Amino acid sequence: MFSIFDLAALLLTLSALFGWLNHRFLRLPHTIGLLVMGLAASLALIALDLAFPNQHLYEDLTQVLRQVDFTEVVMNGMLAFLLFAGAMSLDLRALRDRAWPVATLALLGTVISTGLVGGAFWAASQALGQAVPLPWALVFGALISPTDPVAVLATLKNVNVPEALEIEMQGEALFNDGIGIVLFTVLVAFAAGAGGEATSAGGVAKLLLHEAGGGLALGVATGYLAYCAMRAIDNFPVEVLITLALVAGTYALAQKLGASGPLAVVAAGLLVGDRAPRDAMSERTQGYVSALWTLVDEVLNSVLFLLIGLEVLVLRFAASGLALAACAVPIVLLARLAAVSAPLLVFRWGGYLSLRNVPFLTWAGVRGGISVALALSVPENPAKPTLLAATYAVVLFTIVVQGSTLGLVARRTLCGDQRDPTPGRDPAT
């Protein structure tokens, strides 16, 4: 039996090895390269096991990976630190200027996508003779519709896009998780037959207010407390420790209170990232804090994307569900297209969003570890293997195919329009 230290050592060693091989030979973006190499290694081991069934060549590694509770590691471990690192680097003033389009993409876009994906996935399952009940199809829509903030932020590091558009994408990815998780919670309760107040209109509104509103309020409160503490001293080791305590403490407290941990750490990160550098941290402290969170972001991203690639060793999918999983990819893409197009009708008069950005925003809808974690947390039922296969197919496609070609899409759809902007409209949007 591997200890926690052994597991950490194995994952860090594989991350470093695959990262070196990718940088030396493949030259893919770092996180995409790790996922691809992890997936390739997993498929190679499975192929060898099929060729030599008596050798059990990958049994030891599979047993190690089974000790990793992916949902627990992502949702109650890595996610808090990765979201805080992303929020710290986001320009709060620019985000306030784009508040309406960000809110619309995060809220309206997620709801629209959930309904469209759920309905289309249910129809496809009926057509293929692998009927998935409509409530569970809607659960799939809820877990796959929010863009993954970790995957989006990692992908944007390799793409040059206008600043205003980047702010919208980062803001949408950071905030739509709270909406998606509330929808997921409600729809799982409905699909599992719990029903009751949790699935009524009042129950949904109450849950949204408690989780999302409570999470944001908690994050602002703890973030301001941390900011005041940092402003009262000038000692970089203590201030660095305060930021670490802020993330872990805020996320843990949010879980105890039933509030949204992701939204809480995002709110705390935005507040500290905006105010602390101006009047609470010296230049020396800023350097150490920035270096720490850059390192945390890179290391955890590396391990997470490697885990996504290796997880195929643990997740066994029925061959009969692969056709439906393949259908899920275009379904999610078309739903994303509708979700980013709908806000144009809302903001057409204000010039906040532009039609020319729709192809890029559609292709930039990257999903990642959060979707896999939510799919794994679905209660056991006959539809779960199908939902897992579809989720994994979409996640791999969006990260590997969409993530690696997003720069090309940006150059083809954005650059020419920036030279000849629509009169009276922000050329970056």
Side-chain angles (χ1 to χ4, degrees):
M1 180 68 70
F2 271 51
S3 67
I4 294 178
F5 181 81
D6 293 333
L7 290 172
L10 176 64
L11 292 174
L12 288 172
T13 301
L14 288 176
S15 297
L17 174 61
F18 288 170
W20 184 87
L21 291 172
N22 175 62
H23 182 77
R24 186 73 175 81
F25 300 108
L26 295 183
R27 304 283 182 174
L28 292 171
H30 178 65
T31 51
I32 296 176
L34 285 173
L35 187 151
V36 169
M37 296 190 73
L39 179 63
S42 300
L43 294 177
L45 287 173
I46 291 174
L48 287 173
D49 184 68
L50 293 175
F52 305 99
N54 295 325
Q55 300 300 317
H56 301 293
L57 297 173
Y58 76 101
E59 184 176 342
D60 291 340
L61 180 57
T62 302
Q63 289 179 354
V64 171
L65 290 174
R66 288 189 188 280
Q67 296 180 48
V68 179
D69 186 333
F70 190 88
T71 302
E72 185 72 19
V73 167
V74 174
M75 301 302 291
N76 298 325
M78 294 182 177
L79 185 60
F81 294 92
L82 288 168
L83 288 179
F84 185 82
M88 280 272 290
S89 63
L90 192 60
D91 187 339
L92 182 58
R93 295 181 181 181
L95 181 62
R96 280 197 294 259
D97 292 339
R98 317 299 302 174
W100 280 113
V102 166
T104 304
L105 286 171
L107 178 57
L108 183 61
T110 302
V111 173
I112 290 173
S113 178
T114 296
L116 292 178
V117 170
F121 190 72
W122 172 79
S125 72
Q126 299 291 324
L128 292 172
Q130 301 166 23
V132 174
L134 181 58
W136 288 115
L138 290 171
V139 168
F140 173 69
L143 68 88
I144 206 67
S145 289
T147 54
D148 188 291
V150 178
V152 169
L153 295 175
T155 302
L156 284 176
K157 293 177 183 177
N158 308 296
V159 182
N160 184 25
V161 299
E163 182 181 358
L165 182 58
E166 184 174 356
I167 291 293
E168 288 176 11
M169 291 175 58
Q170 291 175 334
E172 177 202 6
L174 287 170
F175 285 104
N176 66 7
D177 281 327
I179 306 300
I181 290 173
V182 170
L183 284 174
F184 175 79
T185 302
V186 171
L187 290 171
V188 165
F190 178 73
E197 184 184 357
T199 56
S200 66
V204 173
K206 182 179 178 181
L207 183 62
L208 184 61
L209 179 63
H210 183 71
E211 285 213 9
L216 291 172
L218 176 64
V220 170
T222 57
Y224 185 74
L225 182 63
Y227 157 74
C228 292
M230 296 168 73
R231 188 178 181 183
I233 63 173
D234 183 16
N235 183 285
F236 77 85
V238 176
E239 291 177 77
V240 167
L241 188 59
I242 287 173
T243 63
L244 289 168
L246 172 62
V247 179
T250 298
Y251 202 88
L253 184 58
Q255 290 182 311
K256 296 296 183 184
L257 297 176
S260 171
L263 288 180
V265 294
V266 165
L270 287 172
L271 190 148
V272 171
D274 177 63
R275 303 196 64 170
R278 282 189 282 152
D279 55 7
M281 292 191 294
S282 65
E283 289 187 12
R284 187 183 187 192
T285 300
Q286 288 182 48
Y288 278 104
V289 169
S290 176
L292 168 71
W293 286 103
T294 299
L295 180 64
V296 167
D297 186 47
E298 293 295 337
V299 171
L300 291 185
N301 260 317
S302 298
V303 174
L304 175 58
F305 280 81
L306 173 66
L307 268 177
I308 294 174
L310 293 175
E311 195 70 10
V312 74
L313 286 174
V314 180
L315 304 177
R316 290 307 183 93
F317 312 120
S320 59
L322 296 181
L324 185 56
C327 290
V329 174
I331 286 174
V332 172
L333 268 175
L334 291 173
R336 172 69 178 173
L337 173 63
V340 299
S341 300
L344 288 171
L345 301 176
V346 179
F347 291 112
R348 191 174 186 84
W349 53 268
Y352 284 107
L353 297 171
S354 171
L355 183 63
R356 67 172 177 265
N357 287 342
V358 168
F360 178 77
L361 286 171
T362 301
W363 202 246
V366 182
R367 276 71 172 185
I370 294 176
S371 292
V372 176
L374 290 176
L376 287 168
S377 72
V378 170
E380 293 298 330
N381 70 89
K384 184 173 181 177
T386 303
L387 301 188
L388 274 174
T391 301
Y392 209 75
V394 172
V395 167
L396 290 181
F397 182 87
T398 59
I399 294 176
V400 177
V401 179
Q402 293 176 220
S404 60
T405 58
L406 193 57
L408 176 63
V409 174
R411 290 192 294 272
R412 294 289 179 85
T413 62
L414 300 178
C415 294
D417 290 318
Q418 292 179 63
R419 291 193 294 269
D420 184 24
T422 304
R425 189 185 293 269
D426 182 349
T429 61

